[in-house]
Amino acid sequence: MWYNADMKANNAYCMRGVSVPAIGFGTYLIPKEKTEDCVLRALGCGYRHIDTAAFYGNERETGNAVRRSGLKREDVFVTSKVWASDRGYEKTLAAFDRTMNELGFDYLDMYLIHWPESPSRTPDWEKVNLATWQAMTELYKAGRAKAIGVSNFLPHHLGALMRTEIPPMADQIEYNIGTRQPETVNYCRKHGVLVEAWSPLGRGRLLADERLTAIAAKRGITTAQLCIAWCASQGVLPLPKTTDTARMRENLAALSVRLSDEDIAAIGAIPPFGASGRDPDANGF
Ligand code: A2P
């Protein structure tokens, strides 16, 4: 097993010997010109895990914030991702160099394949994903990326990669109370792959849901905290995004909220709702 939920301790998960803080700060949709300030404030609030991607266009600003924070590089866990147009062995290696140049780092904590190639686009989808993975494996073995994984991969995309020398350590998927992707989560649990949640608040869509606001009010927490604490209760690592300092603190504090079995059962009974509609096979990238 690369990752074991029982190893969650000190608010961190352990992936094949690499410790990853159990909540991360998401930077998708934070405009480039605001990113440095936002990430700097997030680090000031206590976040030690920042999630970016080449596609977000804010890697340079993320790297600047880490440097300006005065924190030691090894005390901040930074993830980035190779974009869909850079799939394949050579292109992935070149994309990684560009990412490192943007971030200004000499190693990356985790590198992910942002979206899988899929059978709906090319019959060679599995070959393409394996070629991309070969590059990821090489980056890992060279110590340039301390951990490697995927994003938006479903079980059928993961299968071939799980049979390679270094299987993915994490899968970052759309995951929240309304969008639980049980097949993928169960597959990852079974194979020791850490699941990370993008959009743990459903891009804010979950926050007005009356069933959730009622449970949160009963527990004296905010609905955002309920959503984040629920992810954590499922052994899934939430990556909430906000540009607001008070919300950064609020979201971080959710990690110490322990939900009761009754809350978890009530949430479990809510049928799926509020998904983004992005399907890795149908209209992924
Ligand atoms: P903002 O950046 O204005 O704070 P997700 O992480 O699921 O993608 O959701 C992000 C959305 O949720 C953003 O629109 C963000 O808005 C909003 N958001 C993040 N944290 C909170 C919070 N604690 N309370 C209310 N809205 C929040």
Side-chain angles (χ1 to χ4, degrees):
M1 281 294 201
W2 300 138
Y3 150 75
N4 184 336
D6 295 337
M7 287 164 74
K8 185 180 167 198
N10 303 322
N11 282 337
Y13 291 99
C14 187
M15 299 176 299
R16 210 178 188 227
V18 177
S19 178
V20 50
I23 184 167
F25 181 71
T27 64
Y28 181 44
L29 297 179
I30 300 184
K32 192 179 177 62
E33 63 282 4
K34 285 195 178 164
T35 302
E36 190 167 326
D37 171 59
C38 279
V39 173
L40 201 51
R41 281 186 286 120
L43 292 168
C45 290
Y47 289 85
R48 292 294 178 267
H49 174 178
I50 311 292
D51 186 83
T52 182
F55 182 70
Y56 303 170
N58 57 21
E59 289 174 309
R60 181 167 295 270
E61 293 70 23
T62 298
N64 286 345
V66 171
R67 272 182 296 280
R68 271 183 63 197
S69 71
L71 292 163
K72 288 195 203 135
R73 171 68 189 89
E74 63 267 30
D75 290 339
V76 187
F77 188 100
V78 179
T79 296
S80 193
K81 314 182 189 85
V82 53
W83 184 239
S85 52
D86 289 318
R87 289 187 190 108
Y89 177 76
E90 298 290 347
K91 280 165 106 181
T92 296
L93 292 179
F96 183 79
D97 285 343
R98 285 198 302 277
T99 277
M100 296 304 277
N101 189 40
E102 285 293 301
L103 284 164
F105 291 169
D106 54 10
Y107 71 89
L108 187 62
D109 297 278
M110 181 147 78
Y111 200 39
L112 306 179
I113 303 180
H114 207 145
W115 287 86
E117 185 53 281
S118 87
S120 61
R121 273 187 299 265
T122 166
D124 275 347
W125 62 278
E126 205 159 44
K127 239 166 133 178
V128 175
N129 287 335
L130 277 169
T132 310
W133 191 248
Q134 198 193 334
M136 305 291 281
T137 303
E138 231 170 84
L139 294 167
Y140 172 75
K141 284 184 167 179
R144 300 185 73 200
K146 303 290 180 198
I148 48 173
V150 295
S151 182
N152 301 300
F153 273 50
L154 305 178
H156 62 276
H157 304 118
L158 278 163
L161 272 53
M162 294 313 300
R163 292 186 289 273
T164 63
E165 185 191 356
I166 313 285
M169 299 170 201
D171 189 3
Q172 185 181 127
I173 59 172
E174 179 177 12
Y175 183 82
N176 55 55
I177 289 174
T179 312
R180 295 178 217 150
Q181 306 213 49
E183 295 81 12
T184 302
V185 173
N186 289 336
Y187 182 96
C188 287
R189 279 189 187 135
K190 190 169 151 212
H191 291 88
V193 178
L194 174 67
V195 179
E196 296 189 324
W198 61 258
S199 202
L201 312 176
R203 298 260 181 274
R205 287 187 297 276
L206 266 59
L207 303 180
D209 186 275
E210 283 174 10
R211 296 162 295 190
L212 300 182
T213 51
I215 300 172
K218 209 167 61 184
R219 296 290 164 218
I221 56 176
T222 68
T223 312
Q225 288 179 320
L226 180 75
C227 294
I228 292 165
W230 178 81
C231 276
S233 77
Q234 304 303 300
V236 173
L237 191 158
L239 299 166
K241 168 255 165 189
T242 178
T243 52
D244 179 86
T245 311
R247 288 176 175 178
M248 289 175 190
R249 289 206 187 91
E250 176 187 325
N251 296 350
L252 192 59
L255 211 56
S256 21
V257 172
R258 294 282 166 269
L259 299 178
S260 66
D261 292 346
E262 188 196 332
D263 293 335
I264 291 175
I267 291 168
I270 298 174
F273 72 103
S276 68
R278 260 295 157 220
D279 175 339
D281 275 330
N283 61 357
F285 292 93

